Amino acid sequence: MKTTGDRRRKVDYGKVEDLYRRKKTDKEIAAIAGCGVSTVARWRNVNGLPANPEGGKDRGANRH
């Protein structure tokens, strides 16, 4: 029987939190932190945080 080993990566959740607070999207955070989008979404949900909107904090600032 083949074993695949432990495929899980170590995620730097401090980095994930920093990127989240900088208004990065889940997709951007995942790409920078080297993890999956679902990992970022799971972290947010565990911490009771909403997703950052696409385009960062200024999105829609000039909308009428």
Side-chain angles (χ1 to χ4, degrees):
M1 181 172 167
K2 271 187 168 179
T3 58
T4 57
D6 188 356
R7 294 179 1 174
R8 292 176 288 184
R9 298 179 192 168
K10 301 283 186 198
V11 177
D12 181 351
Y13 288 106
K15 185 175 199 171
V16 170
E17 182 176 4
D18 180 56
L19 293 166
Y20 175 82
R21 297 205 183 283
R22 291 175 187 222
K23 305 297 182 191
K24 300 292 185 191
T25 64
D26 289 1
K27 187 175 179 180
E28 291 169 326
I29 294 168
I32 295 167
C35 62
V37 175
S38 62
T39 300
V40 176
R42 191 175 316 112
W43 171 83
R44 276 192 308 90
N45 290 329
V46 165
N47 289 287
L49 300 169
N52 286 327
E54 189 84 23
K57 65 182 177 186
D58 295 328
R59 180 183 175 149
N62 294 322
R63 286 181 148 171
H64 299 288

